[in-house]
Amino acid sequence: MEFLQSKRNTILPYIISCGLIFLTTLFGELVKNKIGPTNIVMFYLLAVVFIAIRWGKGPAITTSIISVLVFDFFLVPPYLTLSVAHIEYIFTFAAFLTVGIVVSTFASKVREQIMQHQTEKLHSALLNSISHDLKTPLVSITGALTALLDKKSNLDAQHIKELLETARGESSRLNRIVNNLLDMTKMESGVLRISSKPCDLRDLIGACLEQLKERIGSREIKIEIPKDSPEICVDFPFMLKALFNIIDNALKYSPDGSPVEIHVNFLQHKAQVKIRDYGIGIPGEDLKRIFEKFYRIERSQNISGTGLGLCISKGIIEAHSGRIFVESVLDKGSTFIVELPLE
Ligand code: ADP
């Protein structure tokens, strides 16, 4: 699918270029007796500039060369041959090609600069967001430790316990963010090695909930797993991370009093894990985008997060030949569905 997509993206400029040349030639045919052929050249140049700005140098130079040939064949007497009656047309062709190449080079440089500027803007936005996410727990930890070390503050046992708990909670949050960033880097550089072994989904979910017990607190988690379920073949620590992120989100993006449900089903060739929450839900237009790196929905900005969790979960699940998708109703809740092959 991705391959097809990229192939389409490389062919598309050439198809559009042919289309523009066709339209220009058609127009040229209609007006060639009214305006001189050399004036029609300007319209071909327009097509070259458009292609250069949109797709860069390669397609633009190809457009220039094809334009010259088509122009000569259809619009320069003698018609329907590549030979020319007047020597001056040779200069027109040479000038067209030179202008075409120069314009393409300039236009594609401008395009590269715009793209570089956009990437830089994006990088600094991402850096800002990561620094903010790293700074928040560090400020809390430093605050708690400073209060504990301050001799003047005469803390009682309860207060000391609270400060220590804050420091511990924020440290594990920091740890998770750093781990997510490391996982992301590993995934992107292709170092993520999956080593699958048979395991019980029940154990996997149990381990997730154990790691999340602080976040869960007194919240209700309803679990439904069929008895005598078959084993699935996964990399336990990685799949743990993948499910952890999804269950963590279900808890994070739903109110304290609401339950989170985990249903496991075994279909013919796959295991299906559904994680349902009764929280804020996800707008329709964001359903696909939430799996992108650093993507966060506007309305959940006040809940802390980095926008990496789901992207990592998706990467891990797909590395197991599985898939993840989501169904959601705004303000009613979301169901994340993970499917993993049974063989
Ligand atoms: P984050 O660290 O921001 O939670 P994720 O990659 O885990 O990053 O999620 C991306 C975004 O998808 C979140 O910022 C949130 O807006 C949205 N999202 C994820 N899970 C849920 C959910 N269960 N309910 C509502 N929104 C969710």
Side-chain angles (χ1 to χ4, degrees), residues 133 177 180 245-254 275-283 286 289-301 303-313 326 328 333-336:
D133 289 325
I177 296 175
N180 272 348
N245 290 338
I246 304 165
I247 304 173
D248 188 35
N249 281 345
L251 292 158
K252 233 166 59 170
Y253 298 108
S254 62
I275 294 143
R276 173 166 176 64
D277 66 63
Y278 295 86
I280 61 173
I282 300 161
D286 290 314
R289 299 209 61 195
I290 53 166
F291 297 100
E292 287 171 17
K293 187 169 65 168
F294 294 116
Y295 191 81
R296 304 202 70 218
I297 298 172
E298 199 70 34
R299 64 205 295 266
S300 58
Q301 294 295 342
I303 302 167
S304 82
T306 53
L308 282 176
L310 285 180
C311 178
I312 292 171
S313 296
V326 59
S328 185
S334 315
T335 306
F336 281 81

Side-chain angles (χ1 to χ4, degrees), residues 87-140:
I87 188 78
E88 70 211 45
Y89 282 118
I90 300 289
F91 293 113
T92 311
F93 296 161
F96 180 88
L97 271 183
T98 316
V99 173
I101 290 168
V102 171
V103 163
S104 312
T105 313
F106 273 124
S108 66
K109 274 225 176 83
V110 170
R111 181 174 167 268
E112 270 163 30
Q113 270 172 4
I114 292 173
M115 279 175 32
Q116 195 183 346
H117 185 67
Q118 279 172 345
T119 318
E120 275 166 14
K121 251 173 68 186
L122 187 70
H123 277 168
S124 76
L126 294 183
L127 211 63
N128 275 345
S129 117
I130 296 174
S131 340
H132 174 79
D133 289 325
L134 291 175
K135 233 156 75 189
T136 319
L138 275 175
V139 168
S140 308

Side-chain angles (χ1 to χ4, degrees), residues 321-342:
S321 310
R323 66 178 191 132
I324 174 169
F325 54 100
V326 59
E327 290 163 358
S328 185
V329 180
L330 214 53
D331 296 321
K332 291 269 186 300
S334 315
T335 306
F336 281 81
I337 300 157
V338 177
E339 292 183 347
L340 295 165
L342 276 177

